[in-house]
Amino acid sequence: YPMRYLIVDTANTFFRARHAAHRQADTWDRLGFAIHVTLGSVNKAWRGQRADHVVFCLEGRSWRKDYYEPYKKNRAVARAAQTEAEQEEDRLFWETFDALKTYLIEKTNCTVLRHDCLEADDLVAGWIQSHPADQHVIVSSDSDFHQLLANNVVQYNGITDELHTTKGIFDKKGAPVKDKKTKEAKTIPDPKWILFEKCMRGDPTDNIDRKSTRLN
C-alpha cells in the first residue's frame, strides 16, 4: 500500500522557530524553543497526518553557487554585520543543531539525508519525485514548497500550525485560514504558475534579481 512520508526541512524549521520565540527570550530560551518547535512539529504532523516514516533533510553546499555566484550572498553580508553577541548566539544554535542531527542519526530510525552539493529543498523534491505512488507531508515554513503541492503532497507549517494544500490553507482545527484584510479564505496559486513567477521575477530572499532570470 502507499506509504505516507513526513519530509522535514530540518534547518528551516529549527532556525525559523528561533525568530518565533518571545521578544524578551534570551539565547537559551530561544534554543529550547527551537528544539521544542522542531520536534513538536514533527510529532504533531506525524499524528495528524498518520505518517509511516520520517525523513529529515539537511543542508549541503548548493550547486547553484557554481552557476550563479551571487546566490544567497546577501546572507553572508548579513552575517558579517552581526554583533559579537549575535555571532555567539549563531555559534550556539549551530552547535545545538549539530547535536540534534547526531541524535537523529544515532538514536532514531528516521531517514536522515544530506548531500555535499544539494540544499535540503533539493532533497525534499528528489524524495517526492522518487516516490510518485506515495503520499508526502513536507514539514517547513518555506512557501517555495508550494511549487510541489499536488494531490499526494501537502505541507505542514509548524511555526503557524497550518496545513497547506492545493485546496487551500487550513488551521489546526481544519478550518480555512482567512485573509485578515479581505476576510476571504486564503488560496494557493497553481504550482506551475508559482514556478513561472519565480523564474520571471527572481527571488530577492535568495539574492536573485529579475536580470539573472531573464530569458536570452
Side-chain angles (χ1 to χ4, degrees):
Y1 67 94
M3 291 281 286
R4 184 177 292 272
Y5 291 109
L6 211 64
I7 315 174
V8 187
D9 183 6
T10 318
N12 166 274
T13 304
F14 184 82
F15 287 97
R16 287 289 177 89
R18 167 189 188 176
H19 301 294
H22 193 277
R23 286 184 179 180
Q24 296 181 348
D26 62 19
T27 298
W28 296 105
D29 288 335
R30 284 193 285 272
L31 276 170
F33 188 70
I35 295 171
H36 170 75
V37 168
T38 301
L39 298 181
S41 296
V42 173
N43 181 48
K44 187 161 187 177
W46 170 272
R47 290 184 288 106
Q49 298 299 314
R50 298 181 180 179
D52 298 304
H53 188 67
V54 181
V55 181
F56 284 91
C57 295
L58 304 176
E59 301 289 342
R61 180 186 181 278
S62 177
W63 58 270
R64 297 166 182 82
K65 293 181 179 179
D66 295 330
Y67 294 89
Y68 185 65
E69 189 270 338
Y71 180 67
K72 289 188 176 179
K73 210 164 188 178
N74 52 332
R75 303 186 186 187
V77 172
R79 286 194 297 271
Q82 287 180 331
T83 66
E84 187 174 332
E86 288 171 336
Q87 292 175 9
E88 174 63 13
E89 181 170 293
D90 257 8
R91 184 186 66 79
L92 289 172
F93 260 83
W94 279 110
E95 282 184 0
T96 304
F97 184 75
D98 286 342
L100 175 62
K101 176 181 67 178
T102 300
Y103 170 79
L104 294 172
I105 294 171
E106 297 181 356
K107 303 295 184 181
T108 75
N109 65 350
C110 301
T111 296
V112 180
L113 298 179
R114 184 185 179 280
H115 189 284
D116 288 342
C117 298
L118 297 175
E119 294 184 273
D121 53 359
D122 296 317
L123 297 173
V124 172
W127 184 275
I128 293 171
Q129 188 177 40
S130 300
H131 300 80
D134 296 308
Q135 300 290 316
H136 306 280
V137 182
I138 303 169
V139 179
S140 176
S141 66
D142 190 346
S143 61
D144 281 351
F145 284 118
H146 287 173
Q147 299 171 54
L148 298 178
L149 296 182
N151 290 335
N152 68 326
V153 183
V154 299
Q155 178 181 351
Y156 175 68
N157 184 336
I159 307 299
T160 58
D161 200 4
E162 295 175 347
L163 187 68
H164 295 207
T165 77
T166 55
K167 296 180 180 179
I169 300 176
F170 303 91
D171 64 20
K172 60 183 178 181
K173 295 182 179 179
V177 175
K178 295 185 177 181
D179 187 283
K180 292 181 179 179
K181 293 183 178 179
T182 65
K183 307 303 180 183
E184 298 292 330
K186 289 185 177 181
T187 58
I188 295 175
D190 184 296
K192 291 182 180 179
W193 168 255
I194 297 173
L195 177 58
F196 173 78
E197 191 175 42
K198 286 277 187 181
C199 291
M200 298 309 294
R201 290 187 175 181
D203 189 345
T205 60
D206 287 341
N207 205 37
I208 301 175
D209 59 24
R210 288 178 58 187
K211 291 181 181 179
S212 63
T213 61
R214 186 175 298 164
L215 298 175
N216 293 322

